[in-house]
Structure formats: C-alpha cells, structure tokens
Amino acid sequence: MGAAKEDVWVHSSCDMCFAACGIVAHRVDGVLVKIEGDPDCPASGGHICAKGQAGLIGVYDPSRVKTPLIRTNPHKGIGVDPKWQEISWDAALELLISKLTKVREKDPRGLVISSFDQIALSYFIRPVWAPAFGTPNADWVGYYCGNYLHASMYLTNGSFHSDFDLDYCNYAILLGNQQGFMAGLNATVTARKMADARRRGMRVVVVDPVGTNAAAKADEWVPIRPGTDGAFILSLIHVLLNELGCYDRDFLACRTNGPYLIDENGAYLKADGKPLVWDARSGAAVPFDRDAIAPALEGAFTVDGKKCRTAFQALREHVRQYQPEKVAETTTITAEAIRRIAKEFGTAARIGSTIVIDGKVMPYRPVAVNIYRGAGAHKHGTHTALAVQILNMIMGAYYVPGGHRGPNLVGPAGRWGPGKTAEGLITPPSAVGHGAKYYNFEERKPDDLGFHELFPITTNRSPMYQMGMSGAKGFELPYQPEVLIVCRRNVMMNNVNPELSAEALRNIPFIATFSTHLDEVAEFADLVMPEAHYLERFDLFPNRPSHTMSPATGYYYWGLRQPVIEPEGQARRWIDVMYEIADRMGFLGDVYKLQNVTLGLKEPYKLDPDKRYTMEEIYDRWIKSVLGPELGIAWFQEHGYYKIPRSPEEKYPGPFIQPRFPIYFENMLKAKSTVARVAEEMHIDWDTSDYQALPDWRACEAYTDGKGGRDLFVVNFKIPFHSLSITTQNPWLNDLAEHNPYAYKILINAETGRRKGIEDGATIWVESEAGKVKGEAKLTECIHPEVVGIAGVFGSWAAGKPVAKGKGVHFNSLLPLSRERIDPISTGVDSCVRVKISPA
Amino acid sequence: MARYGMVIDLDMCIGCNACTMACKAEHATPAGVFYAKVLEKEIGKFPAARRVFLPVLCNHCDKPACRDVCPTGATAKREDGVVWVDHDLCIGCRSCIEACPYGARTYYEGDGAYFKGHTTRFEAAKQGGIPEGVVMKCNFCMHRVDQGLDPACVQTCPTECRVFGDLDDPHSRVAHLVADKKARPLLAEKGLEPSVFYIGS
Amino acid sequence: MSRIDEFFIGVKPQREWGWLVITYLFLGGAGAGLFLVSLYLRHGWAGALGIALLVAGAALLLVDLGRPERFWRAFFHPRTSWISRGCFFIAAVVVFGGVQTALRIMGLEAEPGTPAATVSVVMDSIAGAAALLVMIYTGFVLAPSPAIPFWNSAFFPMVFFVYSLLAAIDILILSSPLLPGAALDIAWLERSQGYLAVACLILLLSHLSIMSGSAVAARASIRLLTHGRWAPFFLGGVVGAGLIVPLAFFTLAGGSDLKAVFAVTAVLALLRLFGDYLFRFLVIRAGMYDPLL
Ligand SMILES: Nc1nc2c(c(=O)[nH]1)N[C@H]1C(S)=C(S)[C@@H](COP(=O)(O)OP(=O)(O)OC[C@H]3O[C@@H](n4cnc5c(=O)[nH]c(N)nc54)[C@H](O)[C@@H]3O)O[C@H]1N2
Ligand SMILES: Nc1nc2c(c(=O)[nH]1)N[C@H]1C(S)=C(S)[C@@H](COP(=O)(O)OP(=O)(O)OC[C@H]3O[C@@H](n4cnc5c(=O)[nH]c(N)nc54)[C@H](O)[C@@H]3O)O[C@H]1N2
Ligand code: SF4
Ligand code: SF4
Ligand code: SF4
Ligand code: SF4
Ligand code: SF4
Ligand SMILES: [Mo]
C-alpha cells in the first residue's frame, strides 16, 4: 500500500449486541480496516469483545440486501424461494403505503410491528409512530429473554434490567445467567468489573446446569436440575430466616412493606387507604408512614378483633415448606450445599455494617443474587424472579454498595426517579417504566395482540402476539392482523419451533421487512427493504441511558452511532423510512407532537407539526433539549461520548429514595380477581393460581412429563463470541465457532452418553414434543447428567445467509408454544423441555 | 535493547476470544488462519469439573527452533526478540511447523477469502501482502509495537488479563510479574525460552 | 474424535509432511546409498541409477514446496538449518558424482598416477562423502525437533543410513538383470543384506524402547505403531515382512541352492524395500506434538 490519501478514526457505537459499546473505526482511503474500543467510552473502556472486533467484515458481506425486493412466488414456506425481483424505493414505498392506508382505514390495529431494534423501537416506533398510526401492536419483541425478570424488577424495585455492584460485592450468586462473562447486560463493562472484583477476591457461585464460561471461572459451580431454581432460592431464604435468623431487620422494617399488617385473606389492613403497621411503642396499629414509630417486623396481632400478622411474618412462615432436605430432591443440590451457601451468603452480607463513600455513610451489603434468562425462562418464572429479589432484600443488599441494583433507577440531577403508590410502594420511573401499571388494572376484554388486560403484571407479552396471530382458540380479536412490518427480529429462529411461527406468519396477508440479509423472516416477506448496516447509519444515544446504560461506570453517558463508511447499495435506516411513510400518509405532524413529549423536547427545540425535519435535525434538537444548547450532533460526531459523573446518591439510591420495596405482593390478589374476570369476558378458562402474594416453586410441565423416553432436559446458553442470530452470518465468528470445541455441538454429560452408547463426535438426534434436530454430540464432564446443552441461535436455514446456513444446531426447533407452555404472569415462554437423544 | 514479552493471567481469562478476533482484524488473516487462539480443555469429573481456557500465540522464543530450522532465513528474530516470518522469503517447506512445539504456525495454501469466491474491499486492502504457499504466524504486532502501541489482542482484552512489555526493563509490569516466580512459560522443558508467560490456572 | 485443528489441548499429530516428503526420504536415501555402493564397486551404471533416484526424490521435495520457484533460497542458511545443508549435499552428489559417473560410463578412466587420476580421486571422495551425508542428514532434520518427541533420537541418522544402504542394495539386486556394465555378485550382495537387516532390527527396537520411556507425545506415537491403527503395518510390514521374513529365509535356507534362484532373491529384496518405505512413512506420520498443558 502506498501512502494513504485518507486515514481517519471515527467515533461510533457497536451494534453486534444491544450493549452498544463505544468504538473507534479506522478508515483508510474509504475502506474500514479496523474497529477498536473507544477508550473514552465508560462502557467499553477501549476494550471490545470478539463480536465487536468482527463487526467490520459483516459490512462487506456480499450477500447483504442492496435494493428493495418484491416476491414473485406467491407460495410461502420454509425453504421456499420467494423468487425476489428488484424494485425501486419509490415503487416499494408506494406498495407499502397503499397496504398501510387500507388497514388504517379498515382498523389501524391490523398493523403489527416486530422489532428488537432497541433504539428505533423505544424512542421512535412504540411510543410515537405506532400510536400516531393507531396501532397498539408494535411490541412483538424478543422473547424467552427477560420477560419473567423485567416484570419482577419493575414490581420490586422499578428498574428494567438486573445488575449488581461489582465495585463492592464480595459474594455473588449467578442464577442462570453469565453476567460478567461476556454475556448478559453491558457485557464489556461487567466483564471488566467482574475481573477486577475477582482479583479483589469476590466469590462467584454459578448455579447452572451447564458448565458455561461463567461456571468455568466461578469459585463454585452448582449444577442444578433445570426449572427448579425457585425451590433453591426459597430454601436459601428459609435457612436464612428460620434456621440462621440472619436478615436485615432495619431495612425490612423501614424500606420494605415487611411490617405492613395483613389479614387472614392476605390483604393489607388499611386506614383511609393507608396500610397499617404495628407500632411497638404505642402498642397499636398505625399508618405505615406515621413518624416516630417503631414498626414491628414480626408477630401476629389482633386489630379491632381482626386477626392479623405482618407481611414479613407471613413470608417467614410461607418459606418453611422449603426444607433443604426436600428441596435437594427437587434441585439435585444437596441439603449441605444449600445450608452452606445460605450461611456463606448471610455472613458475607455483613448485616449492620456501613461504608463511607465520598463522605456519604451508607449500608454496606456486599452480596447479590443475579437472575436472568436461564433461571427465569420457565413457566412460573416470575415467581422464581420475585423470590430472587426477596433474597436480596432480606439481606438489605438493595441499591446499596455491594448489593443488587438495576441500571438507572434515578437519572442525573433527579432528571428521573421512581414513583410511589398510595401504599408507599415503588413504581418504575416513567422514563423507564415502558407504561408499566402494576397496581391499577383494567377489567376489560383485551384488544391488543399482547392481551394486556389478561397479563396485568408484565410489560413484554410477545409470545401472545404469536398465539393471537395463529388464531389460538379464545384469543380471537375484533380485527385481523393485515400487515406486519419486521425490522431486526428473527421471529422464525429465535422464538419457538419455526413451523409454529410460520403458521402465524402465513395468517398475515402482507409482510414487509427491513433487512440486512434475506434471513429466515425475509423468506416469508412480500416486500423486503434494505436496512443500513450499523457501520453505515446514524443512531442517537444507542446505549439507552434510561434502560441499559451501565450503572457500573461511575458515569451517566450519552453516545452516538454514525456512519463510518458509505452505505452498500441503496440501504437506508428504517426509522427514516418510517418517518417518510408517516409524512406521505399525512400523520407525521401527530408523530412530531408525540415526539415532543416522549423525547422531552424543550423550547426552542420542540418540533413544529407543520414543519418537516431531517432525522439529523431531530437528533440535534433532542441533544440540545437533553444536554443543553452548547452540545449538538457535530459535537457528538467529533467527541463520541458525553459523560456526567454519578454522585454516591445516584450510584446507590437505596437509602436516599422515599418509596418502599415490596417483599409481599398484595397487588397480586387484586390482579388475580381482575384476570379471572377478564378471562370470563374472553370466555376462556384460565388458571389464575400463580397470582399470589408470596412466591412459590411450581414444577413446569417438563418437570413432570418424561413421556416417550424423553428422559433428558434440553437447555440453551449464550456463548461469548456470538449474539443471538445476528452474528451467525459473520464469517470470522463462524470460523471461530467451527474451531471451538463446544459452539456448534450438542453437549451431553460423558457418563450419560456412555450409558446411552453415544460416542463423542457421533451424529445424533435430539427430539422433543415439538420437533427434532440433528447434530454432533460432544461428551463433556461440564454439564448436568440429566441435561442436553445446545448453544446460541445457530442452525440457520435461509439461503440469504450462506455463511450461517446449516452451521450448528437450532435449539428453538425443540420449543413448543401453548397456553400450558407460557408463564401465566409474564407470558414468558417455558424453555424447559424434555428430549430424548438417539444416534442418527 | 528491549526484549518484548507478554504475561497472561489464566485466572482472569474468561475465554471470550476477543483476542482471537482482534488479531484477525488487525492482520486480516485468511480463513482458517489464527495467530491468536484460545485453547480449551476440561479438568476433573462432574460435578467437580471445569473448563480451562488457554490463550495462545507465538511465544517469540529466545531460542526459536523455527528460526534455526528455517533454510531461507524467512523466519528471523529481531533484536527486540520479535520472531517474524518474511512472507516474501518463505518457500513453504513447513520445517518450522514441524519444529515449533507450540503449534504457533500455520501453512497458508491460499483461497483464504472469507466469502466464497468474493474478495471484500477490506481483504483487498489488507491481504494484498499475503502470498499463497507460505507459513504465517503471530508477529507480536511489530507494526503497532514499533509505534509504542500494545498488540491488538492486548489492547482489546476485556478483562485486561494480557500484559505486554519489555522483559529487560526491570520497571515494566511484565518484568515484575515474571520476577515474582508465579509466571511460567508453556513447555519450559523444551528449552526454547519463550517470551510469553502465564500466571494462575 | 474431534477435529485436529479444533481449539482443544491435547496430543496432536503432525500433518504437514506427507507422502511427497516421505517418498523423498526413501528415494533420496536409497539413491545416495546406491551411488556410494557404486563407488565401492566402481560401477558407473549403478552410480547413474543412484543419482537418477536421488534427483527424482529431490524433484518431489520441490513439488512439496509452497513456493517451488523460490527453492534456491533454501541454500541460504547452512549455518543452522539441516535442510539447507541437505541442499548442498544433494547438489554435491549430483554435480561431482554426475561428472565422475559419466566419465566412468564412457570408460574414460584416467591413467593411475596421472594428475587427472588424483583429481578423479578427490572428486570421488567429495561425491562419496556427500552421498553419505545425504543418507543420514534427514535423520538430523528429525532428531533435534523439540516439537515431536518421537523423533528426538540419535538413532535416526544411523537407522536412516542402514536403511538407505539396505534399499540401495535391494535396488541393485533387482536392477541387476537389466543393468549394463560389469556383472554383479548377487550372492555377495544378498549376504550383506542379512547383516544390514539385523542392524536395522536392533536399531529399531532400541529406538522404541528408549521412546517408550519418553514424553507423552512419544508414547502416543509408539502406541499408534504397536497397538493402534498402524500396528499391523509397523509390526507386520516393517518388522515382519521387511526384516524378519527375509532374515529367517536367509538363515533357514542355509547353503541350499534355492538361494541361487534369482526370483527368490528378488522377492526378498522387494519385501525389504516395502518394509523400508513403510518405515519411513510410519516414522513421519506417527510424529505427534506434546499437549501444551
Ligand atoms: N455474548 C452474548 N451476550 C449477550 C447476548 C448474546 O446473545 N451473546 N444476548 C444479550 C441478551 S438479548 C440478553 S437477554 C442477555 C442474557 O444474558 P444471560 O441471561 O446471562 O444469558 P445466558 O448466557 O444464556 O444465561 C442463561 C444461562 O442459564 C442457564 N440455564 C438454562 N436453563 C436453566 C435453569 O433452568 N436454571 C438455571 N439456573 N440455569 C439455566 C444456561 O445454561 C445459561 O448458562 O445477554 C445479552 N448479552
Ligand atoms: N436459541 C436461542 N433463542 C433465543 C435466545 C438464545 O440465546 N438462544 N435469546 C432470546 C433472547 S434473550 C432474545 S432478546 C431474543 C432476540 O430475538 P431477536 O431479536 O428476534 O433475535 P436476533 O437474533 O437479534 O434477530 C435479529 C434479526 O435481525 C437481523 N439483523 C441483524 N442486524 C440487523 C440490522 O442492522 N438491521 C436489520 N434490519 N436487521 C438486522 C438478523 O438477520 C436477525 O434475523 O431471542 C431469544 N431467543
Ligand atoms: S458487548 Fe456487544 S456492543 Fe459491546 S462490543 Fe461486544 S458486541 Fe459490541
Ligand atoms: S480476550 Fe482476554 S479474556 Fe478474552 S479470551 Fe482473550 S485473553 Fe481471555
Ligand atoms: S513459539 Fe514456535 S514459532 Fe514462535 S518462536 Fe517459538 S518456536 Fe518459533
Ligand atoms: S516454511 Fe518458510 S518460514 Fe518455515 S522454515 Fe520453510 S522457509 Fe522458513
Ligand atoms: S500479538 Fe498481535 S499478532 Fe500476536 S496474537 Fe496478539 S494480535 Fe495477534
Ligand atoms: Mo434478550
């Protein structure tokens, strides 16, 4: 190479997973030659993962979609060639607009939007474009993700994701997740902080059926039988409360609803709307928020002749049924181990201790249990997730140094913060809450594909979309889904058995996708439009400061994603296209009006409904409204990151906020009756037994059925160098996965394999009630003997993804979808499935 | 004169393979060629079993067997200890591969484009210098190191468990880590005196 | 069994050197050996045949290179590289030996005592020495390899020398009916084979016994040859057919006139050649790297 004419490094953000780490892209003479972590990005700190490093080769993928395409083969099916024909953007938009106009006239709710493009979805589509169009059905997002968890987080502490303080934590239990091991939330920050914490000597206990990367580095790997985490956690709670008497009385008495008095039906005792507590000082029941009282945490009392006890008392008695000996049989974790871990956890919590940070004295509770997909992704997963939060709360390890916390409960300088119910309980900040209503429910027949009223205690109801569209009995709607727009969602690969998903898609007359590749969804599309690759496009604040921005960096930070090279072909950013559509259809003004509210645009930056703005102009006004006039797009393009340091109160808001965290969920009782009545109106018989004030462990279907020789469980896990299905077409990551001993294989415990006469490397079938998959067996010591492990979202079949096609094993083919197979509270898909394995 | 070396903390390595990919991006290595790898093995029996991650690269041995057997001088050792292959001199006899106990070298037969039958602009720009039929390996990112930068794999490592520096400079971190006895090379008994050391397990 | 290029830690077989290199080891050794014998027998045509085989072998080496057109660079590092040295040895045999052989065939032997004769003696000695080195240097290529313990043995140069000689003489025996020039004393040749075979056997077994006490990878190699997939070839082919059977016959047949029958001698020679080639093949293919952890 001679002397380069151009040689620049451009600030931007990675998009190989939603952590959106800051990157700097090296461009020489128009060619992208390297991507590195942006040292100025609080998240990546200059270090990016394998996927981030490999991102650049993807932008040059010759199989990317370059022009709009229209189907010429009317027959739709898996593996059926749509016989694409190139058309112009104009023709494409005319077609799409004509379809959209028709539904909008007939019934706008007939438009369904599916996307896991976090930025577009949460800033522009869900809260703005969709309502302006008139459809509530814009939330068909990823599932068997955090559904179970998000609900429990919103309910117990008002935050969206689950995280914990790696700066001070000394004892962490990772329950079915790999936070800190290049999976999980904000993967690079947590990986770095996790390493630092382990250097300090933090103990990590990984509870997981699979010997994952996390388990490999853990101080202790506790293999557990899938779907039994609830029992394990409730047993830990029992040992701590009833055997060791180890719990944070002050925190429980003053910062939770533990002292609230409940009657024999479990309902709060109230005086003019306010729950009562027993004041030890006056020996009487008084409103919980009365000053200078000594609320009793434990005990049974009689108030105006009514028998009652404290919520915490109820919890203590409730968990007695989870004796370690009994739980050991359920979980395959020995009673000794359960007692030991409980003791270690309780001791490490140092209840009563305080720490001074930047002159602020705060409780010091260096322990946390973290839950994410694995343990949650089961029927009754919400119960498990709530039990986990209770365990953190009885230690007082809640939004204090060393303990559990969600990302961003409070914003910089009080820009956002949690709300409070009349009962003094916490609700999500509106910036975060995603419209979550956990205390007041509507008793009407649902009219959205998420069937909201039937699932009042959750935000993500994606699986219901699929049931609704498949016309499941009792889930009919007053209108038909007529048009589906998909961007960055692989509803075929990432959900359940593809045949089931195909059925849902076939019921939709017109499907348009914005795609980088002709993936498994595009295969069912009528119209495909080329989306700009993340290295070719503009996105503002991709790190989503309210939702996913890591609390671990000591900063609030705002980043941007900007084009680092010219777009391939005619690729465009779908947000821009959707806004152009709104304009051509004449409702862009309404979009702007809503946008002014949702983005919090201030004068003079508010959008004038009668004017037209480029997206860049909108982004610039957004920046100025949020961060002040001296900043703007140009500033971000040059500097990449804007940071505001977090004060101790903002890092650890627990002791500084008003609302209490519930350990007892009285609202569930109300939800129960509401749901029962909604079900009545829908004429379906519906099991409401999961709506109870205290969590339990209940066996999911798979736990009890071993029919047809299906004697094993199958579980799925993420690997550090692939994310979901989006990285599978990346040839570098594929090359790596092909060399990796586990990535593309079917993991079987060596002993189990021997027993079944299956040799390492043999080709085998894995068969569930929903489907069967073939692959190479990997005999390993690092997996539970009752479990078959399949990694990632592999086994693509789309011709448009030649690199990914046929690589690895497709887990989701084994997943059924039915009323019996979802978590009745969160709608989370039950990923706990029985399989039988046999030589192929 | 400096003697460059690396220390990798196995306790902190999480097997994420960021190093593997950073190296691939930095050197545009052809399909199937990896200078940096993360090898794995399992120790113990269930449930007391564990996977072990071992990030490997060329050890830039002080007594490089690969260099000694090389008939052409294509493999050479710089004064700063960097052992590298001059692709323009290599005849592809592969004796060096037979001589290296560490599997650090790969013979590149050609056809290394990542998208079958298509050379990307990236590959065209960066693989131009790679002839077919030669042996390739880690060169300690000489071009970066000569500019005072860390090697690409070190730069990106999310857990910061790879440290690069001058073993001859008593004040360098690598020197310190090697000084306190815990650091050890792979297959020390082979007597090649690697410049890459490991701590932890 | 997982792919060998998989990123796992364990004993791994060498895969770089295949049949081209192996066949060179065989032809090169035999050719050089034959040339050496030809000097002893002062047999021009035998020498020519030897050189031809050596050149053929070298040609295969060339084909094996990733960059044949750059072969000349291989002469650049005789200071450290046995491969480089080998290039010079081969060249010496071909050049000096070539000239001498040509003269001999044309019957242009110099009058004893003349300066021409002295020159010819010097050329012969150079060529002879080079031939000897060609026979053994490949042993020195393998022996010092720190990577493949199975090869770390001072026996290799010796084994290679003896095997080369063995092969050389077998080829001479087989080609004798067609070979122009003075007739050969087959019986004498056959007798010498007996002693060489015994030598081979002893060297082989001692190598194995030493290796079986050595590094992990070496033991793996031996397992492969004595119990594994290749046991039949090694025990049956190399040891049995290649050495024991001819030896047995050689001793049992005693003074019987069977030995006078050329066909029989030829069969024995073929068996030995087969064993020799197989030996070189297995030695290279059984090479394994030690696990890194
Ligand atoms: N590298 C990488 N990082 C990612 C992603 C990715 O795809 N790749 N995806 C991102 C997304 S969208 C999300 S939601 C997060 C998810 O982050 P995590 O929740 O940490 O995801 P996993 O690594 O799949 O963790 C699930 C673990 O649970 C285990 N498991 C399965 N069933 C059970 C069970 O019944 N009980 C218990 N105790 N464990 C069980 C699995 O073996 C697996 O190890 O990661 C994010 N980060
Ligand atoms: N087997 C298995 N299934 C899973 C999971 C798992 O770990 N294993 N994880 C679950 C979780 S946690 C989640 S959140 C869901 C996620 O579910 P999805 O969001 O549906 O999964 P992705 O794989 O991210 O699908 C992204 C799709 O967008 C396309 N795409 C990639 N980049 C771009 C782009 O820049 N623009 C556009 N327009 N399209 C793009 C890809 O081709 C891919 O088809 O999956 C769930 N399902
Ligand atoms: S963690 Fe996600 S965003 Fe960060 S570098 Fe890796 S893939 Fe990119
Ligand atoms: S980047 Fe660091 S942590 Fe990741 S595999 Fe490589 S050495 Fe290990
Ligand atoms: S590791 Fe191998 S290639 Fe690297 S210097 Fe040592 S011997 Fe040579
Ligand atoms: S392959 Fe190239 S580098 Fe290796 S020994 Fe032969 S010439 Fe030297
Ligand atoms: S030092 Fe450079 S060349 Fe060597 S492995 Fe690391 S990145 Fe690759
Ligand atoms: Mo997710």
Side-chain angles (χ1 to χ4, degrees), chain A residues 77-80 490-499 501-502 505 518-524 725 728-729 773 793-813:
Chain A
I78 294 172
V80 180
N490 198 324
V491 294
M492 291 298 293
M493 283 196 80
N494 294 58
N495 297 2
V496 292
N497 184 292
E499 291 300 343
S501 309
L505 293 188
L518 292 170
D519 59 23
E520 292 72 14
V521 179
E523 197 174 54
F524 275 77
S725 78
T728 56
Q729 169 63 17
V773 292
V793 195
F794 300 122
S796 295
W797 56 85
K801 290 160 64 184
V803 173
K805 191 176 180 194
K807 305 288 171 62
V809 182
H810 187 236
F811 170 81
N812 310 58
S813 288

Side-chain angles (χ1 to χ4, degrees), chain B residues 66-76 84-87 89-97 105 107 133-136, chain C residues 65-66 73-74 81 83:
Chain B
C66 56
R67 191 264 321 262
D68 294 347
V69 301
C70 179
T72 64
T75 292
W84 66 291
V85 181
D86 184 335
H87 297 146
L89 302 186
C90 177
I91 59 174
C93 69
R94 283 115 65 224
S95 334
C96 50
I97 298 182
R105 298 176 156 254
Y107 176 59
V134 300
V135 161
M136 310 176 68
Chain C
L65 292 182
R73 293 190 177 277
S81 166
I83 304 230

